[in-house]
PDB file of all heavy atoms in Angstrom:
ATOM      1  N   GLU A1259      76.861  77.637-165.343  1.00  0.00           N
ATOM      2  CA  GLU A1259      77.940  78.415-164.806  1.00  0.00           C
ATOM      3  C   GLU A1259      77.474  79.412-163.759  1.00  0.00           C
ATOM      4  O   GLU A1259      78.248  79.809-162.863  1.00  0.00           O
ATOM      5  CB  GLU A1259      78.646  79.155-165.941  1.00  0.00           C
ATOM      6  CG  GLU A1259      79.342  78.252-166.955  1.00  0.00           C
ATOM      7  CD  GLU A1259      79.889  79.054-168.150  1.00  0.00           C
ATOM      8  OE1 GLU A1259      80.885  79.729-167.933  1.00  0.00           O
ATOM      9  OE2 GLU A1259      79.298  78.990-169.224  1.00  0.00           O
ATOM     10  N   LEU A1260      76.206  79.819-163.853  1.00  0.00           N
ATOM     11  CA  LEU A1260      75.642  80.764-162.898  1.00  0.00           C
ATOM     12  C   LEU A1260      74.960  80.084-161.716  1.00  0.00           C
ATOM     13  O   LEU A1260      74.611  80.741-160.727  1.00  0.00           O
ATOM     14  CB  LEU A1260      74.638  81.682-163.561  1.00  0.00           C
ATOM     15  CG  LEU A1260      75.180  82.542-164.706  1.00  0.00           C
ATOM     16  CD1 LEU A1260      74.044  83.312-165.377  1.00  0.00           C
ATOM     17  CD2 LEU A1260      76.220  83.509-164.183  1.00  0.00           C
ATOM     18  N   VAL A1261      74.742  78.803-161.848  1.00  0.00           N
ATOM     19  CA  VAL A1261      74.113  77.984-160.764  1.00  0.00           C
ATOM     20  C   VAL A1261      75.042  76.846-160.406  1.00  0.00           C
ATOM     21  O   VAL A1261      74.782  75.670-160.722  1.00  0.00           O
ATOM     22  CB  VAL A1261      72.693  77.467-161.212  1.00  0.00           C
ATOM     23  CG1 VAL A1261      71.960  76.922-159.971  1.00  0.00           C
ATOM     24  CG2 VAL A1261      71.896  78.551-161.899  1.00  0.00           C
ATOM     25  N   PRO A1262      76.162  77.165-159.739  1.00  0.00           N
ATOM     26  CA  PRO A1262      77.192  76.146-159.540  1.00  0.00           C
ATOM     27  C   PRO A1262      76.816  75.142-158.403  1.00  0.00           C
ATOM     28  O   PRO A1262      77.461  74.087-158.290  1.00  0.00           O
ATOM     29  CB  PRO A1262      78.410  76.945-159.130  1.00  0.00           C
ATOM     30  CG  PRO A1262      77.846  78.194-158.499  1.00  0.00           C
ATOM     31  CD  PRO A1262      76.579  78.485-159.244  1.00  0.00           C
ATOM     32  N   ARG A1263      75.800  75.487-157.601  1.00  0.00           N
ATOM     33  CA  ARG A1263      75.479  74.627-156.492  1.00  0.00           C
ATOM     34  C   ARG A1263      73.981  74.221-156.517  1.00  0.00           C
ATOM     35  O   ARG A1263      73.135  75.025-156.895  1.00  0.00           O
ATOM     36  CB  ARG A1263      75.778  75.302-155.156  1.00  0.00           C
ATOM     37  CG  ARG A1263      77.247  75.711-155.026  1.00  0.00           C
ATOM     38  CD  ARG A1263      77.535  76.419-153.708  1.00  0.00           C
ATOM     39  NE  ARG A1263      78.927  76.804-153.618  1.00  0.00           N
ATOM     40  CZ  ARG A1263      79.402  77.993-154.033  1.00  0.00           C
ATOM     41  NH1 ARG A1263      78.580  78.875-154.569  1.00  0.00           N
ATOM     42  NH2 ARG A1263      80.667  78.296-153.938  1.00  0.00           N
ATOM     43  N   ASN A1264      73.706  73.033-156.073  1.00  0.00           N
ATOM     44  CA  ASN A1264      72.301  72.565-156.011  1.00  0.00           C
ATOM     45  C   ASN A1264      72.058  72.035-154.603  1.00  0.00           C
ATOM     46  O   ASN A1264      72.975  71.946-153.769  1.00  0.00           O
ATOM     47  CB  ASN A1264      72.018  71.535-157.098  1.00  0.00           C
ATOM     48  CG  ASN A1264      72.955  70.343-156.984  1.00  0.00           C
ATOM     49  OD1 ASN A1264      73.536  70.052-155.924  1.00  0.00           O
ATOM     50  ND2 ASN A1264      73.163  69.652-158.096  1.00  0.00           N
ATOM     51  N   PRO A1265      70.818  71.637-154.318  1.00  0.00           N
ATOM     52  CA  PRO A1265      70.535  71.097-152.961  1.00  0.00           C
ATOM     53  C   PRO A1265      71.426  69.918-152.574  1.00  0.00           C
ATOM     54  O   PRO A1265      71.830  69.794-151.375  1.00  0.00           O
ATOM     55  CB  PRO A1265      69.101  70.689-153.048  1.00  0.00           C
ATOM     56  CG  PRO A1265      68.474  71.645-154.051  1.00  0.00           C
ATOM     57  CD  PRO A1265      69.570  71.817-155.064  1.00  0.00           C
ATOM     58  N   ALA A1266      71.797  69.061-153.548  1.00  0.00           N
ATOM     59  CA  ALA A1266      72.657  67.933-153.208  1.00  0.00           C
ATOM     60  C   ALA A1266      74.038  68.403-152.735  1.00  0.00           C
ATOM     61  O   ALA A1266      74.616  67.772-151.833  1.00  0.00           O
ATOM     62  CB  ALA A1266      72.757  67.041-154.454  1.00  0.00           C
ATOM     63  N   PHE A1267      74.531  69.495-153.337  1.00  0.00           N
ATOM     64  CA  PHE A1267      75.808  70.025-152.886  1.00  0.00           C
ATOM     65  C   PHE A1267      75.740  70.460-151.429  1.00  0.00           C
ATOM     66  O   PHE A1267      76.630  70.159-150.625  1.00  0.00           O
ATOM     67  CB  PHE A1267      76.219  71.205-153.763  1.00  0.00           C
ATOM     68  CG  PHE A1267      77.373  72.004-153.248  1.00  0.00           C
ATOM     69  CD1 PHE A1267      78.683  71.623-153.566  1.00  0.00           C
ATOM     70  CD2 PHE A1267      77.169  73.105-152.470  1.00  0.00           C
ATOM     71  CE1 PHE A1267      79.764  72.340-153.063  1.00  0.00           C
ATOM     72  CE2 PHE A1267      78.228  73.858-151.967  1.00  0.00           C
ATOM     73  CZ  PHE A1267      79.538  73.493-152.273  1.00  0.00           C
ATOM     74  N   PHE A1268      74.676  71.201-151.071  1.00  0.00           N
ATOM     75  CA  PHE A1268      74.572  71.705-149.732  1.00  0.00           C
ATOM     76  C   PHE A1268      74.351  70.547-148.713  1.00  0.00           C
ATOM     77  O   PHE A1268      74.820  70.607-147.569  1.00  0.00           O
ATOM     78  CB  PHE A1268      73.439  72.721-149.599  1.00  0.00           C
ATOM     79  CG  PHE A1268      73.890  74.110-149.956  1.00  0.00           C
ATOM     80  CD1 PHE A1268      73.836  74.566-151.275  1.00  0.00           C
ATOM     81  CD2 PHE A1268      74.360  74.983-149.009  1.00  0.00           C
ATOM     82  CE1 PHE A1268      74.275  75.824-151.638  1.00  0.00           C
ATOM     83  CE2 PHE A1268      74.788  76.238-149.345  1.00  0.00           C
ATOM     84  CZ  PHE A1268      74.736  76.658-150.673  1.00  0.00           C
ATOM     85  N   LYS A1269      73.659  69.540-149.144  1.00  0.00           N
ATOM     86  CA  LYS A1269      73.475  68.376-148.245  1.00  0.00           C
ATOM     87  C   LYS A1269      74.800  67.698-148.030  1.00  0.00           C
ATOM     88  O   LYS A1269      75.135  67.282-146.879  1.00  0.00           O
ATOM     89  CB  LYS A1269      72.430  67.399-148.857  1.00  0.00           C
ATOM     90  CG  LYS A1269      72.139  66.218-147.977  1.00  0.00           C
ATOM     91  CD  LYS A1269      71.482  66.663-146.660  1.00  0.00           C
ATOM     92  CE  LYS A1269      71.064  65.421-145.795  1.00  0.00           C
ATOM     93  NZ  LYS A1269      70.511  65.833-144.493  1.00  0.00           N
ATOM     94  N   SER A1270      75.544  67.515-149.078  1.00  0.00           N
ATOM     95  CA  SER A1270      76.826  66.802-148.986  1.00  0.00           C
ATOM     96  C   SER A1270      77.885  67.576-148.219  1.00  0.00           C
ATOM     97  O   SER A1270      78.538  67.019-147.359  1.00  0.00           O
ATOM     98  CB  SER A1270      77.345  66.473-150.402  1.00  0.00           C
ATOM     99  OG  SER A1270      78.639  65.935-150.359  1.00  0.00           O
ATOM    100  N   LYS A1271      77.990  68.874-148.503  1.00  0.00           N
ATOM    101  CA  LYS A1271      79.074  69.632-147.913  1.00  0.00           C
ATOM    102  C   LYS A1271      78.699  70.189-146.529  1.00  0.00           C
ATOM    103  O   LYS A1271      79.552  70.250-145.618  1.00  0.00           O
ATOM    104  CB  LYS A1271      79.477  70.809-148.809  1.00  0.00           C
ATOM    105  CG  LYS A1271      80.636  71.605-148.254  1.00  0.00           C
ATOM    106  CD  LYS A1271      81.262  72.516-149.313  1.00  0.00           C
ATOM    107  CE  LYS A1271      82.475  73.215-148.711  1.00  0.00           C
ATOM    108  NZ  LYS A1271      83.194  74.002-149.712  1.00  0.00           N
ATOM    109  N   TYR A1272      77.426  70.624-146.331  1.00  0.00           N
ATOM    110  CA  TYR A1272      77.048  71.305-145.111  1.00  0.00           C
ATOM    111  C   TYR A1272      76.002  70.551-144.281  1.00  0.00           C
ATOM    112  O   TYR A1272      75.637  71.015-143.225  1.00  0.00           O
ATOM    113  CB  TYR A1272      76.531  72.684-145.445  1.00  0.00           C
ATOM    114  CG  TYR A1272      77.518  73.612-146.041  1.00  0.00           C
ATOM    115  CD1 TYR A1272      77.440  73.998-147.388  1.00  0.00           C
ATOM    116  CD2 TYR A1272      78.575  74.139-145.286  1.00  0.00           C
ATOM    117  CE1 TYR A1272      78.364  74.889-147.970  1.00  0.00           C
ATOM    118  CE2 TYR A1272      79.506  74.989-145.859  1.00  0.00           C
ATOM    119  CZ  TYR A1272      79.414  75.339-147.175  1.00  0.00           C
ATOM    120  OH  TYR A1272      80.312  76.198-147.755  1.00  0.00           O
ATOM    121  N   ASN A1273      75.522  69.427-144.833  1.00  0.00           N
ATOM    122  CA  ASN A1273      74.415  68.742-144.148  1.00  0.00           C
ATOM    123  C   ASN A1273      73.216  69.683-143.899  1.00  0.00           C
ATOM    124  O   ASN A1273      72.655  69.716-142.813  1.00  0.00           O
ATOM    125  CB  ASN A1273      74.876  68.114-142.840  1.00  0.00           C
ATOM    126  CG  ASN A1273      73.848  67.143-142.251  1.00  0.00           C
ATOM    127  OD1 ASN A1273      73.005  66.624-142.999  1.00  0.00           O
ATOM    128  ND2 ASN A1273      73.879  66.956-140.952  1.00  0.00           N
ATOM    129  N   VAL A1274      72.914  70.421-144.959  1.00  0.00           N
ATOM    130  CA  VAL A1274      71.775  71.357-144.929  1.00  0.00           C
ATOM    131  C   VAL A1274      70.729  70.795-145.924  1.00  0.00           C
ATOM    132  O   VAL A1274      71.056  70.510-147.057  1.00  0.00           O
ATOM    133  CB  VAL A1274      72.190  72.780-145.323  1.00  0.00           C
ATOM    134  CG1 VAL A1274      70.970  73.682-145.551  1.00  0.00           C
ATOM    135  CG2 VAL A1274      73.087  73.376-144.253  1.00  0.00           C
ATOM    136  N   ASP A1275      69.481  70.737-145.468  1.00  0.00           N
ATOM    137  CA  ASP A1275      68.395  70.302-146.335  1.00  0.00           C
ATOM    138  C   ASP A1275      67.741  71.510-147.021  1.00  0.00           C
ATOM    139  O   ASP A1275      67.274  72.446-146.345  1.00  0.00           O
ATOM    140  CB  ASP A1275      67.319  69.587-145.518  1.00  0.00           C
ATOM    141  CG  ASP A1275      67.851  68.265-144.936  1.00  0.00           C
ATOM    142  OD1 ASP A1275      68.393  67.475-145.699  1.00  0.00           O
ATOM    143  OD2 ASP A1275      67.760  68.106-143.670  1.00  0.00           O
ATOM    144  N   ILE A1276      67.750  71.500-148.343  1.00  0.00           N
ATOM    145  CA  ILE A1276      67.098  72.567-149.104  1.00  0.00           C
ATOM    146  C   ILE A1276      65.934  71.993-149.870  1.00  0.00           C
ATOM    147  O   ILE A1276      66.118  71.070-150.701  1.00  0.00           O
ATOM    148  CB  ILE A1276      68.111  73.266-150.036  1.00  0.00           C
ATOM    149  CG1 ILE A1276      69.256  73.877-149.267  1.00  0.00           C
ATOM    150  CG2 ILE A1276      67.402  74.367-150.880  1.00  0.00           C
ATOM    151  CD1 ILE A1276      70.265  74.661-150.116  1.00  0.00           C
ATOM    152  N   LEU A1277      64.765  72.514-149.661  1.00  0.00           N
ATOM    153  CA  LEU A1277      63.587  72.071-150.363  1.00  0.00           C
ATOM    154  C   LEU A1277      63.152  73.144-151.341  1.00  0.00           C
ATOM    155  O   LEU A1277      62.675  74.226-150.949  1.00  0.00           O
ATOM    156  CB  LEU A1277      62.433  71.771-149.407  1.00  0.00           C
ATOM    157  CG  LEU A1277      62.532  70.472-148.637  1.00  0.00           C
ATOM    158  CD1 LEU A1277      63.559  70.598-147.464  1.00  0.00           C
ATOM    159  CD2 LEU A1277      61.174  70.080-148.040  1.00  0.00           C
ATOM    160  N   THR A1278      63.402  72.945-152.618  1.00  0.00           N
ATOM    161  CA  THR A1278      63.024  73.943-153.633  1.00  0.00           C
ATOM    162  C   THR A1278      61.567  73.759-154.011  1.00  0.00           C
ATOM    163  O   THR A1278      60.932  72.747-153.664  1.00  0.00           O
ATOM    164  CB  THR A1278      63.891  73.778-154.914  1.00  0.00           C
ATOM    165  OG1 THR A1278      63.763  72.459-155.382  1.00  0.00           O
ATOM    166  CG2 THR A1278      65.376  74.045-154.578  1.00  0.00           C
ATOM    167  N   SER A1279      60.991  74.722-154.704  1.00  0.00           N
ATOM    168  CA  SER A1279      59.586  74.750-155.072  1.00  0.00           C
ATOM    169  C   SER A1279      58.691  74.564-153.858  1.00  0.00           C
ATOM    170  O   SER A1279      57.643  73.888-153.913  1.00  0.00           O
ATOM    171  CB  SER A1279      59.299  73.650-156.144  1.00  0.00           C
ATOM    172  OG  SER A1279      60.037  73.855-157.273  1.00  0.00           O
ATOM    173  N   HIS A1280      59.092  75.161-152.766  1.00  0.00           N
ATOM    174  CA  HIS A1280      58.317  75.147-151.512  1.00  0.00           C
ATOM    175  C   HIS A1280      58.134  76.589-151.044  1.00  0.00           C
ATOM    176  O   HIS A1280      59.111  77.281-150.822  1.00  0.00           O
ATOM    177  CB  HIS A1280      59.028  74.358-150.419  1.00  0.00           C
ATOM    178  CG  HIS A1280      58.829  72.857-150.546  1.00  0.00           C
ATOM    179  ND1 HIS A1280      59.363  72.126-151.594  1.00  0.00           N
ATOM    180  CD2 HIS A1280      58.132  71.986-149.762  1.00  0.00           C
ATOM    181  CE1 HIS A1280      59.025  70.854-151.442  1.00  0.00           C
ATOM    182  NE2 HIS A1280      58.258  70.732-150.357  1.00  0.00           N
ATOM    183  N   GLN A1281      56.899  76.976-150.885  1.00  0.00           N
ATOM    184  CA  GLN A1281      56.605  78.341-150.453  1.00  0.00           C
ATOM    185  C   GLN A1281      56.100  78.366-149.013  1.00  0.00           C
ATOM    186  O   GLN A1281      55.178  77.621-148.642  1.00  0.00           O
ATOM    187  CB  GLN A1281      55.508  78.942-151.348  1.00  0.00           C
ATOM    188  CG  GLN A1281      55.124  80.340-150.964  1.00  0.00           C
ATOM    189  CD  GLN A1281      53.964  80.914-151.824  1.00  0.00           C
ATOM    190  OE1 GLN A1281      53.417  80.172-152.670  1.00  0.00           O
ATOM    191  NE2 GLN A1281      53.651  82.172-151.655  1.00  0.00           N
ATOM    192  N   VAL A1282      56.716  79.203-148.208  1.00  0.00           N
ATOM    193  CA  VAL A1282      56.232  79.369-146.806  1.00  0.00           C
ATOM    194  C   VAL A1282      55.044  80.376-146.871  1.00  0.00           C
ATOM    195  O   VAL A1282      55.220  81.499-147.328  1.00  0.00           O
ATOM    196  CB  VAL A1282      57.351  79.909-145.901  1.00  0.00           C
ATOM    197  CG1 VAL A1282      56.792  80.192-144.507  1.00  0.00           C
ATOM    198  CG2 VAL A1282      58.484  78.874-145.827  1.00  0.00           C
ATOM    199  N   LEU A1283      53.936  79.912-146.407  1.00  0.00           N
ATOM    200  CA  LEU A1283      52.668  80.687-146.469  1.00  0.00           C
ATOM    201  C   LEU A1283      52.465  81.574-145.289  1.00  0.00           C
ATOM    202  O   LEU A1283      51.968  82.706-145.399  1.00  0.00           O
ATOM    203  CB  LEU A1283      51.485  79.745-146.664  1.00  0.00           C
ATOM    204  CG  LEU A1283      51.504  78.831-147.890  1.00  0.00           C
ATOM    205  CD1 LEU A1283      50.311  77.904-147.837  1.00  0.00           C
ATOM    206  CD2 LEU A1283      51.528  79.618-149.164  1.00  0.00           C
ATOM    207  N   ASN A1284      52.788  81.068-144.098  1.00  0.00           N
ATOM    208  CA  ASN A1284      52.509  81.786-142.837  1.00  0.00           C
ATOM    209  C   ASN A1284      53.570  81.454-141.815  1.00  0.00           C
ATOM    210  O   ASN A1284      54.154  80.374-141.808  1.00  0.00           O
ATOM    211  CB  ASN A1284      51.136  81.408-142.269  1.00  0.00           C
ATOM    212  CG  ASN A1284      49.996  81.991-143.133  1.00  0.00           C
ATOM    213  OD1 ASN A1284      49.808  83.189-143.228  1.00  0.00           O
ATOM    214  ND2 ASN A1284      49.276  81.092-143.794  1.00  0.00           N
ATOM    215  N   ILE A1285      53.768  82.406-140.916  1.00  0.00           N
ATOM    216  CA  ILE A1285      54.663  82.200-139.748  1.00  0.00           C
ATOM    217  C   ILE A1285      53.823  82.423-138.500  1.00  0.00           C
ATOM    218  O   ILE A1285      53.180  83.437-138.331  1.00  0.00           O
ATOM    219  CB  ILE A1285      55.836  83.244-139.776  1.00  0.00           C
ATOM    220  CG1 ILE A1285      56.677  83.048-141.049  1.00  0.00           C
ATOM    221  CG2 ILE A1285      56.710  83.097-138.527  1.00  0.00           C
ATOM    222  CD1 ILE A1285      57.659  84.189-141.253  1.00  0.00           C
ATOM    223  N   ASN A1286      53.845  81.450-137.592  1.00  0.00           N
ATOM    224  CA  ASN A1286      53.177  81.553-136.300  1.00  0.00           C
ATOM    225  C   ASN A1286      54.298  81.686-135.242  1.00  0.00           C
ATOM    226  O   ASN A1286      54.897  80.666-134.841  1.00  0.00           O
ATOM    227  CB  ASN A1286      52.331  80.343-136.034  1.00  0.00           C
ATOM    228  CG  ASN A1286      51.546  80.426-134.709  1.00  0.00           C
ATOM    229  OD1 ASN A1286      51.975  81.132-133.800  1.00  0.00           O
ATOM    230  ND2 ASN A1286      50.430  79.721-134.633  1.00  0.00           N
ATOM    231  N   SER A1287      54.618  82.889-134.896  1.00  0.00           N
ATOM    232  CA  SER A1287      55.768  83.129-134.026  1.00  0.00           C
ATOM    233  C   SER A1287      55.489  82.666-132.571  1.00  0.00           C
ATOM    234  O   SER A1287      56.411  82.378-131.815  1.00  0.00           O
ATOM    235  CB  SER A1287      56.179  84.572-134.015  1.00  0.00           C
ATOM    236  OG  SER A1287      55.110  85.449-133.616  1.00  0.00           O
ATOM    237  N   ASN A1288      54.236  82.627-132.172  1.00  0.00           N
ATOM    238  CA  ASN A1288      53.887  82.212-130.805  1.00  0.00           C
ATOM    239  C   ASN A1288      54.198  80.719-130.647  1.00  0.00           C
ATOM    240  O   ASN A1288      54.766  80.338-129.624  1.00  0.00           O
ATOM    241  CB  ASN A1288      52.403  82.479-130.522  1.00  0.00           C
ATOM    242  CG  ASN A1288      52.079  83.922-130.449  1.00  0.00           C
ATOM    243  OD1 ASN A1288      52.923  84.748-130.029  1.00  0.00           O
ATOM    244  ND2 ASN A1288      50.894  84.305-130.907  1.00  0.00           N
ATOM    245  N   ASP A1289      53.838  79.906-131.619  1.00  0.00           N
ATOM    246  CA  ASP A1289      54.069  78.459-131.535  1.00  0.00           C
ATOM    247  C   ASP A1289      55.389  78.067-132.215  1.00  0.00           C
ATOM    248  O   ASP A1289      55.764  76.864-132.199  1.00  0.00           O
ATOM    249  CB  ASP A1289      52.925  77.724-132.210  1.00  0.00           C
ATOM    250  CG  ASP A1289      51.628  77.932-131.453  1.00  0.00           C
ATOM    251  OD1 ASP A1289      51.637  78.251-130.268  1.00  0.00           O
ATOM    252  OD2 ASP A1289      50.559  77.771-132.107  1.00  0.00           O
ATOM    253  N   LYS A1290      56.075  79.016-132.833  1.00  0.00           N
ATOM    254  CA  LYS A1290      57.285  78.755-133.579  1.00  0.00           C
ATOM    255  C   LYS A1290      57.060  77.664-134.671  1.00  0.00           C
ATOM    256  O   LYS A1290      57.756  76.694-134.738  1.00  0.00           O
ATOM    257  CB  LYS A1290      58.425  78.349-132.646  1.00  0.00           C
ATOM    258  CG  LYS A1290      58.969  79.515-131.779  1.00  0.00           C
ATOM    259  CD  LYS A1290      60.326  79.135-131.161  1.00  0.00           C
ATOM    260  CE  LYS A1290      60.924  80.381-130.517  1.00  0.00           C
ATOM    261  NZ  LYS A1290      62.266  80.087-129.938  1.00  0.00           N
TER     262      LYS A1290
END
């Protein structure tokens, strides 16, 4: 009831890819 949406919902409704259990370690803003 508190987690009504999952990655499949966002892919289906918004065509957005959500990768869970993925940690961004670093950002290189020069190379984007």
